Amino acid sequence: MFKRVPGTKDILPNEIISWQWIETIARNIFSLYNYQEIRTPLIEEAGLFNRTLGESAEIVQKQMFLIHNQEDTYALRPEGTAAIVRSYLENNLDKTSGFIKLFYIGPMFRLERPQKGRLRQFHHIGCEVIGSPDAGLDVEVIALAEHLVKSISIENYKIKINSLGCPKDKKKLTLALKEALQKNIKELCADCQERVKKNVLRVLDCKNEVCQKIVHELSLKSTHLCPECAANFEEVKTGLKNLDIPFQVQPYLVRGLDYYNRTVFEISHPELGSQDAIGAGGRYNNLIQELGGPDLGGIGFAFGVERLLLAAKNIPVNLDNNLVYLISLGSEAKSNSAKILNSLRLNGIPSDTDYLNKSLKGAMRAANDAHAKYVLILGDDELKKNIITLKDMSSGTQRELTLENLIKELKC
Ligand code: HAM
């Protein structure tokens, strides 16, 4: 028997309720903030990610699912931001809409070592706002992210923020870090020894305890920021305070992707173990230009849906179900059931019946398992009298109705 690929998951019908629940809440929240949905392809040219995430980013180095054909190398998208900026420029949205607020929901792919909360196919709920460097947007995007987290009953989350500053500030931070880490370079893990050479900021993200201790002893502050970026960061923090959004400034937060500058943030949950980031994001003011577009600001975030589901407390086991379950007993009644079901459905009433020839008891059990709101019972005698029994499954009460009145009753 074939098995699913490691690090992928089947989302079975009994689990889909929680997915639909989160997706519906997310869609409603995005529409409250006036974001529009975008869907881009699952495959992109691999070069798009090499160029924007950075050649030394872990995703590019080790985690891309690559598809080689004769001339091109494609990648299953490891994230949404680069693809959305590509789409924004390719479709001339910079010339038509200019400023745009987008959201997306869909699968992403990274060739990681699978573990709890870390998959090879996982799902993002994310957003990207392109066309403005305004600090007010940083506040809005973080507020939206918190709104989403709260709405799906996640508690004890932590919002960590930092500012990387402009490209010049990032360079300053890089040089200062390189210098500061030189004296402990031999104590760093093998990966970090390489990172010091290639992308020293990644050392700050390392989970290795020794590396973390060394980094913390550096007592980093926001001294790399130029006056403009420092003022911008102050504006973001003031904006968050005005909205009572709790946050911690975390000078070690750099995020592993090259395209970030200025504000970066991460939302973590203490109960998720080593993979505790439920979502993350930040500004990418140079990405649009990097991909050949104009000098416009951009900011966004993405949540990992699998991790949101691990952190959420009150996931509903079944959504509101108005299903009507028809049980027909006797050959005449059975031959009429398709007609009744058809008219229920054409009138917008969700309905189903038993196709396994079950007894009344068995069919009632099936109705119960399907969380039916009502059961309709039709026997040959009832059919002759033109009546049908309607049972309310929550109260257990039942009454008889004429077939003509059935639709009217169920619709109100
Ligand atoms: P990211 O931090 O790479 O950011 O991913 C965002 C979230 O996706 C993580 O916080 C985590 O919850 C989830 N995630 C990442 N990798 C996995 C995995 N292997 N298995 C399960 N969940 C995972 C980005 O992708 C950026 N594009 C976010 C962004 C949008 N920045 C600006 N706009």
Side-chain angles (χ1 to χ4, degrees), residues 101-168:
K101 292 166 143 189
L102 301 165
F103 80 88
Y104 51 101
I105 299 178
M108 305 290 158
F109 305 86
R110 294 185 194 172
L111 197 50
E112 307 214 52
R113 199 165 40 78
Q115 64 182 84
K116 183 185 165 205
R118 194 203 258 172
L119 294 152
R120 289 178 170 177
Q121 180 181 329
F122 58 99
H123 296 76
H124 269 173
I125 290 181
C127 68
E128 311 296 344
V129 184
I130 308 175
S132 164
D134 195 302
L137 271 176
D138 303 35
V139 177
E140 174 176 299
V141 160
I142 297 172
L144 195 165
E146 195 207 20
H147 194 160
L148 181 58
V149 165
K150 278 181 160 170
S151 302
I152 54 174
S153 69
I154 293 182
E155 295 160 6
N156 303 327
Y157 54 86
K158 278 204 181 87
I159 304 176
K160 299 174 227 166
I161 67 166
N162 191 21
S163 176
L164 300 174
C166 55
K168 271 192 189 155

Side-chain angles (χ1 to χ4, degrees), residues 219-232:
S219 303
L220 289 178
K221 303 249 160 43
S222 301
T223 47
H224 62 287
L225 296 180
C226 64
E228 247 183 58
C229 289
N232 176 275

